[in-house]
Amino acid sequence: MGKLQVLDYEINTKIIKDEDYVSLTDLARYIDKKDTYLIINNWTRSTSTIEFLGLWEKLNNPNFKPAEFDRFRNESGSNTFRLPPQKWVSETNAIGIISKSGRYGGTFAHVDIALEFASWMSPEFRLYVMTEFKRLKTLEQKQLGWNLKRTLSKINYNIHTDAIKNNLIPYVVTKMQIEMIYADEADIINVALFGMTAKEWRQRNPNKEGNVRDYANVAELVCLVNLENLNSVYINEGIIQKDRLIKLNKIAIHQMKLLTTDKRIQRLEDISNVKMIENK
């Protein structure tokens, strides 16, 4: 995710086992920029905090040790009770908090727990943290959609070109001849899906940069990947180009009817469109 920028504070985040964790050490600087360890310890020693942490672990951690949790909860509230994060983790087998000592150490917590900590310091601060977290997650999802469009168009590139190389390119040809064969096969896909060759698209769109595939939507790119895969199979089977084009065109028509009505594809398209607008 990167870093949260909350008010004047820069807060580090981590992805741990596909879950978002936020630095409690950085959050604690909202109260005390130097003695963050004391701020965190003051929070973990309270009964309400221990009860919250225990409930979170019971809901998310099958290896949590409830007996140790009960002991800490019973001991909390006394003037002498202390519960450093590392002790909580080591004795209860908790996963919601990650704490390490040293120069590159610090205490991170699952975002659920981090927001609870921020609320303990200040409800207003919690709102700022939550708003920034949501903003970054939205940005992350948009970036995923943008990258997906680029990735889908390249997924089967090696499979497709390898089939062309092994079955259509003669033993001795010039570099220009090889490029013509690859371009010719790429146009088989273009015609089957878009109804035009790359040259025809450029002639119809003289003011646009790139090629027809750069302007494809998500449904078309999914179909494109499938057609490239099928074309490589047909090439390996020795099917001539004319017959392959007819087969691929029929498949493209059928798949596009399905893909354009798929709500999952539409959600990805919406994300990708927003990202394209932001990049203009």
Side-chain angles (χ1 to χ4, degrees), residues 78-110:
S78 68
N79 293 333
T80 58
F81 177 73
R82 296 289 184 275
L83 184 60
Q86 290 183 354
K87 183 177 181 180
W88 166 256
V89 173
S90 63
E91 297 197 20
T92 66
N93 203 29
I95 61 172
I97 292 180
I98 307 294
S99 187
K100 295 182 180 181
S101 302
R103 181 179 178 183
Y104 299 103
T107 300
F108 282 77
H110 188 278

Short mmCIF file of all heavy atoms in Angstrom, two decimals, residues 78-110:
data_model
loop_
_atom_site.label_atom_id
_atom_site.label_comp_id
_atom_site.label_asym_id
_atom_site.label_seq_id
_atom_site.Cartn_x
_atom_site.Cartn_y
_atom_site.Cartn_z
N SER A 78 -4.64 -3.32 37.55
CA SER A 78 -3.81 -3.00 38.72
C SER A 78 -2.74 -1.99 38.33
O SER A 78 -2.36 -1.88 37.16
CB SER A 78 -3.15 -4.27 39.26
OG SER A 78 -2.20 -4.77 38.34
N ASN A 79 -2.24 -1.26 39.32
CA ASN A 79 -1.25 -0.22 39.05
C ASN A 79 0.07 -0.79 38.54
O ASN A 79 0.83 -0.09 37.85
CB ASN A 79 -1.00 0.60 40.32
CG ASN A 79 -2.22 1.40 40.72
OD1 ASN A 79 -3.04 1.76 39.88
ND2 ASN A 79 -2.34 1.70 42.01
N THR A 80 0.36 -2.01 38.89
CA THR A 80 1.65 -2.60 38.52
C THR A 80 1.59 -3.40 37.21
O THR A 80 2.63 -3.86 36.73
CB THR A 80 2.14 -3.54 39.63
OG1 THR A 80 1.16 -4.57 39.86
CG2 THR A 80 2.38 -2.76 40.92
N PHE A 81 0.42 -3.54 36.65
CA PHE A 81 0.29 -4.38 35.45
C PHE A 81 0.86 -3.68 34.22
O PHE A 81 0.60 -2.51 33.97
CB PHE A 81 -1.18 -4.72 35.20
CG PHE A 81 -1.41 -5.52 33.95
CD1 PHE A 81 -1.05 -6.85 33.88
CD2 PHE A 81 -1.98 -4.92 32.82
CE1 PHE A 81 -1.26 -7.59 32.73
CE2 PHE A 81 -2.20 -5.66 31.67
CZ PHE A 81 -1.83 -6.99 31.62
N ARG A 82 1.66 -4.43 33.46
CA ARG A 82 2.21 -3.96 32.20
C ARG A 82 2.10 -5.08 31.18
O ARG A 82 2.28 -6.25 31.51
CB ARG A 82 3.69 -3.56 32.34
CG ARG A 82 3.94 -2.38 33.28
CD ARG A 82 3.45 -1.07 32.66
NE ARG A 82 3.78 0.08 33.51
CZ ARG A 82 3.05 0.49 34.54
NH1 ARG A 82 1.94 -0.16 34.85
NH2 ARG A 82 3.41 1.54 35.24
N LEU A 83 1.83 -4.73 29.94
CA LEU A 83 1.73 -5.75 28.90
C LEU A 83 2.35 -5.23 27.60
O LEU A 83 1.65 -4.75 26.70
CB LEU A 83 0.27 -6.16 28.67
CG LEU A 83 0.05 -7.29 27.65
CD1 LEU A 83 0.77 -8.57 28.09
CD2 LEU A 83 -1.44 -7.56 27.46
N PRO A 84 3.68 -5.32 27.47
CA PRO A 84 4.32 -4.91 26.21
C PRO A 84 3.79 -5.77 25.05
O PRO A 84 3.47 -6.94 25.23
CB PRO A 84 5.80 -5.20 26.47
CG PRO A 84 5.93 -5.25 27.96
CD PRO A 84 4.65 -5.81 28.46
N PRO A 85 3.70 -5.21 23.86
CA PRO A 85 3.19 -5.96 22.71
C PRO A 85 3.91 -7.28 22.47
O PRO A 85 3.28 -8.29 22.12
CB PRO A 85 3.41 -4.99 21.54
CG PRO A 85 3.36 -3.64 22.17
CD PRO A 85 3.99 -3.81 23.52
N GLN A 86 5.23 -7.30 22.65
CA GLN A 86 5.98 -8.53 22.40
C GLN A 86 5.57 -9.63 23.38
O GLN A 86 5.53 -10.81 23.01
CB GLN A 86 7.48 -8.26 22.50
CG GLN A 86 8.01 -7.41 21.34
CD GLN A 86 9.51 -7.21 21.41
OE1 GLN A 86 10.17 -7.61 22.38
NE2 GLN A 86 10.07 -6.58 20.39
N LYS A 87 5.27 -9.25 24.61
CA LYS A 87 4.84 -10.24 25.59
C LYS A 87 3.46 -10.78 25.22
O LYS A 87 3.20 -11.99 25.32
CB LYS A 87 4.80 -9.61 26.98
CG LYS A 87 4.44 -10.59 28.09
CD LYS A 87 4.49 -9.92 29.46
CE LYS A 87 4.15 -10.91 30.56
NZ LYS A 87 4.20 -10.27 31.90
N TRP A 88 2.58 -9.91 24.78
CA TRP A 88 1.24 -10.33 24.35
C TRP A 88 1.34 -11.33 23.19
O TRP A 88 0.68 -12.36 23.19
CB TRP A 88 0.43 -9.10 23.93
CG TRP A 88 -0.81 -9.41 23.15
CD1 TRP A 88 -0.99 -9.27 21.80
CD2 TRP A 88 -2.06 -9.90 23.66
NE1 TRP A 88 -2.26 -9.63 21.44
CE2 TRP A 88 -2.94 -10.03 22.56
CE3 TRP A 88 -2.51 -10.25 24.93
CZ2 TRP A 88 -4.25 -10.50 22.70
CZ3 TRP A 88 -3.83 -10.70 25.07
CH2 TRP A 88 -4.67 -10.82 23.97
N VAL A 89 2.20 -11.03 22.24
CA VAL A 89 2.36 -11.90 21.06
C VAL A 89 2.95 -13.25 21.44
O VAL A 89 2.44 -14.31 21.05
CB VAL A 89 3.23 -11.21 20.00
CG1 VAL A 89 3.54 -12.18 18.85
CG2 VAL A 89 2.53 -9.96 19.46
N SER A 90 4.02 -13.22 22.22
CA SER A 90 4.74 -14.46 22.53
C SER A 90 3.94 -15.41 23.43
O SER A 90 4.00 -16.62 23.27
CB SER A 90 6.08 -14.14 23.20
OG SER A 90 5.88 -13.48 24.44
N GLU A 91 3.16 -14.86 24.34
CA GLU A 91 2.46 -15.72 25.30
C GLU A 91 1.06 -16.14 24.85
O GLU A 91 0.54 -17.15 25.31
CB GLU A 91 2.39 -15.03 26.67
CG GLU A 91 3.78 -14.80 27.27
CD GLU A 91 3.75 -14.52 28.75
OE1 GLU A 91 2.73 -14.86 29.40
OE2 GLU A 91 4.73 -13.93 29.25
N THR A 92 0.45 -15.39 23.96
CA THR A 92 -0.89 -15.76 23.49
C THR A 92 -0.89 -16.30 22.06
O THR A 92 -1.92 -16.75 21.56
CB THR A 92 -1.87 -14.57 23.55
OG1 THR A 92 -1.44 -13.57 22.60
CG2 THR A 92 -1.92 -13.98 24.94
N ASN A 93 0.28 -16.23 21.42
CA ASN A 93 0.39 -16.65 20.02
C ASN A 93 -0.46 -15.76 19.11
O ASN A 93 -1.06 -16.22 18.13
CB ASN A 93 -0.01 -18.12 19.85
CG ASN A 93 0.60 -18.74 18.60
OD1 ASN A 93 1.68 -18.34 18.16
ND2 ASN A 93 -0.08 -19.71 18.02
N ALA A 94 -0.52 -14.48 19.45
CA ALA A 94 -1.34 -13.53 18.70
C ALA A 94 -0.75 -13.24 17.33
O ALA A 94 0.47 -13.30 17.13
CB ALA A 94 -1.48 -12.23 19.49
N ILE A 95 -1.59 -12.93 16.37
CA ILE A 95 -1.15 -12.57 15.02
C ILE A 95 -1.58 -11.16 14.62
O ILE A 95 -1.15 -10.64 13.60
CB ILE A 95 -1.70 -13.57 13.98
CG1 ILE A 95 -3.23 -13.56 13.97
CG2 ILE A 95 -1.16 -14.98 14.23
CD1 ILE A 95 -3.84 -14.37 12.84
N GLY A 96 -2.42 -10.55 15.43
CA GLY A 96 -2.93 -9.22 15.10
C GLY A 96 -1.91 -8.12 15.31
O GLY A 96 -2.04 -7.04 14.75
N ILE A 97 -0.90 -8.40 16.12
CA ILE A 97 0.17 -7.44 16.39
C ILE A 97 1.51 -8.09 16.07
O ILE A 97 1.74 -9.25 16.41
CB ILE A 97 0.15 -6.96 17.84
CG1 ILE A 97 -1.11 -6.10 18.10
CG2 ILE A 97 1.40 -6.16 18.19
CD1 ILE A 97 -1.22 -5.59 19.52
N ILE A 98 2.37 -7.34 15.40
CA ILE A 98 3.74 -7.78 15.09
C ILE A 98 4.68 -6.76 15.70
O ILE A 98 4.60 -5.57 15.37
CB ILE A 98 3.98 -7.86 13.58
CG1 ILE A 98 2.92 -8.71 12.88
CG2 ILE A 98 5.37 -8.38 13.27
CD1 ILE A 98 2.94 -10.16 13.27
N SER A 99 5.56 -7.20 16.59
CA SER A 99 6.44 -6.25 17.28
C SER A 99 7.87 -6.78 17.31
O SER A 99 8.11 -7.92 17.69
CB SER A 99 5.94 -6.00 18.70
OG SER A 99 6.69 -4.98 19.33
N LYS A 100 8.81 -5.93 16.88
CA LYS A 100 10.23 -6.29 16.87
C LYS A 100 11.06 -5.15 17.46
O LYS A 100 10.74 -3.98 17.26
CB LYS A 100 10.69 -6.60 15.45
CG LYS A 100 10.03 -7.83 14.83
CD LYS A 100 10.57 -8.09 13.44
CE LYS A 100 9.92 -9.32 12.81
NZ LYS A 100 10.45 -9.59 11.46
N SER A 101 12.13 -5.54 18.14
CA SER A 101 13.03 -4.55 18.72
C SER A 101 14.15 -4.24 17.74
O SER A 101 14.31 -4.91 16.72
CB SER A 101 13.63 -5.08 20.02
OG SER A 101 12.62 -5.42 20.95
N GLY A 102 14.92 -3.22 18.07
CA GLY A 102 16.08 -2.90 17.26
C GLY A 102 15.86 -1.70 16.36
O GLY A 102 14.78 -1.10 16.30
N ARG A 103 16.92 -1.39 15.62
CA ARG A 103 16.92 -0.20 14.77
C ARG A 103 15.82 -0.23 13.72
O ARG A 103 15.19 0.78 13.42
CB ARG A 103 18.29 -0.09 14.09
CG ARG A 103 18.43 1.13 13.19
CD ARG A 103 19.81 1.17 12.58
NE ARG A 103 19.96 2.32 11.67
CZ ARG A 103 21.04 2.57 10.95
NH1 ARG A 103 22.09 1.76 11.05
NH2 ARG A 103 21.09 3.61 10.15
N TYR A 104 15.60 -1.41 13.13
CA TYR A 104 14.59 -1.54 12.09
C TYR A 104 13.32 -2.23 12.61
O TYR A 104 12.55 -2.79 11.84
CB TYR A 104 15.16 -2.31 10.90
CG TYR A 104 16.37 -1.64 10.28
CD1 TYR A 104 17.65 -2.11 10.52
CD2 TYR A 104 16.21 -0.51 9.47
CE1 TYR A 104 18.75 -1.48 9.97
CE2 TYR A 104 17.30 0.12 8.91
CZ TYR A 104 18.58 -0.36 9.16
OH TYR A 104 19.67 0.27 8.61
N GLY A 105 13.15 -2.16 13.92
CA GLY A 105 11.98 -2.78 14.53
C GLY A 105 10.79 -1.84 14.55
O GLY A 105 10.68 -0.90 13.77
N GLY A 106 9.90 -2.10 15.48
CA GLY A 106 8.68 -1.31 15.58
C GLY A 106 7.49 -2.23 15.78
O GLY A 106 7.62 -3.46 15.72
N THR A 107 6.36 -1.64 16.03
CA THR A 107 5.14 -2.41 16.28
C THR A 107 4.11 -2.10 15.20
O THR A 107 3.76 -0.94 14.98
CB THR A 107 4.56 -2.07 17.66
OG1 THR A 107 5.53 -2.37 18.67
CG2 THR A 107 3.30 -2.87 17.93
N PHE A 108 3.67 -3.17 14.53
CA PHE A 108 2.62 -3.06 13.52
C PHE A 108 1.41 -3.84 14.00
O PHE A 108 1.54 -4.81 14.74
CB PHE A 108 3.10 -3.63 12.18
CG PHE A 108 4.00 -2.71 11.40
CD1 PHE A 108 5.34 -2.57 11.76
CD2 PHE A 108 3.53 -1.98 10.33
CE1 PHE A 108 6.18 -1.73 11.06
CE2 PHE A 108 4.35 -1.14 9.61
CZ PHE A 108 5.69 -1.01 9.98
N ALA A 109 0.24 -3.42 13.56
CA ALA A 109 -0.99 -4.12 13.93
C ALA A 109 -1.92 -4.17 12.73
O ALA A 109 -1.89 -3.29 11.86
CB ALA A 109 -1.67 -3.42 15.10
N HIS A 110 -2.73 -5.22 12.71
CA HIS A 110 -3.76 -5.32 11.67
C HIS A 110 -4.57 -4.03 11.67
O HIS A 110 -4.78 -3.41 12.71
CB HIS A 110 -4.66 -6.52 11.95
CG HIS A 110 -5.62 -6.82 10.85
ND1 HIS A 110 -6.82 -6.15 10.72
CD2 HIS A 110 -5.55 -7.71 9.81
CE1 HIS A 110 -7.45 -6.63 9.66
NE2 HIS A 110 -6.71 -7.57 9.10
#
